[in-house]
Amino acid sequence: PETLSTLNSLGGALVGTGEFEEAEKIYLEIIEASRERFGEAHAETLRYMFNLVALYFDELDRKEDALKILGETLEIRRRHFGADHADTLVAQSELARGYGVIGDYEKVIELLEPIFARLALVNNSAHNETPQAALSLAAAWRETGRFKDAETLLLGTLAQVDAIYAAHPNVKRPVNPGRVIAGPIRLYKKSGNQ
């Protein structure tokens, strides 16, 4: 495990120095080694796959390859954990956000609408993934003309997260919902879609 972790750190260092193709080779190598050693559904294997996804999205402009890997991680989690497991729902949300990056809002809606309520239940409303999924779904609704739905979801999510943290002031917030969610609401209102 230490060797894979060291190689993963090397991949990150290569990304930091702009050596993206070398980083890709390292990430592909450790994904394969982790699959052989731990299995495809092991947390480390999936983490290494997400590092490759980030490289494809952020540095190599290979969004279709990134989406393919996100889809693969979703299928792995469905097979090993079931469709309603928290990790599976998070993987589906991550795939939806990937489609949001490329502007396929219908796909975002297709992936998020059926699971959003379950995601909020299994992770609780304040879990980092729930506000992020709310932002993705609201953005997709906004882009497809469902302005009122977008506003209702954003305001509801902000209220839920704020209520949870008001009741637990010593708990560190995983996100700053006031800044993250209020920004899209302001943009929505400025666009005249009240």
Side-chain angles (χ1 to χ4, degrees), residues 17-100:
T17 61
E19 299 176 62
F20 306 128
E21 287 77 18
E22 289 302 313
E24 178 188 20
K25 290 176 191 173
I26 296 285
Y27 287 152
L28 289 168
E29 179 183 330
I30 62 175
I31 290 166
E32 187 57 37
S34 186
R35 279 184 172 150
E36 289 174 11
R37 182 168 186 151
F38 303 117
E40 69 177 0
H42 191 276
E44 289 300 304
T45 304
L46 294 169
R47 182 170 66 98
Y48 299 143
M49 292 173 77
F50 283 114
N51 288 343
L52 185 59
V53 165
L55 177 66
Y56 286 164
F57 265 126
D58 299 339
E59 307 299 345
L60 294 176
D61 196 31
R62 291 174 52 186
K63 292 172 179 56
E64 292 300 325
D65 290 332
L67 290 170
K68 182 179 175 188
I69 295 169
L70 287 172
E72 183 182 346
T73 63
L74 174 58
E75 290 310 313
I76 289 169
R77 287 178 170 167
R78 279 184 180 151
R79 276 196 311 273
H80 289 272
F81 307 126
D84 289 327
H85 189 277
D87 289 345
T88 305
L89 297 172
V90 167
Q92 190 161 334
S93 178
E94 290 166 343
L95 178 58
R97 280 200 312 275
Y99 278 104

Side-chain angles (χ1 to χ4, degrees), residues 125-126 131 134 151-167 173 177-178 181-182 185:
S125 298
E151 179 183 30
T152 301
L153 178 59
L154 290 171
L155 291 173
T157 302
L158 179 59
Q160 288 174 337
V161 172
D162 279 345
I164 288 167
Y165 285 103
R173 291 177 181 233
I181 295 174
I185 292 171

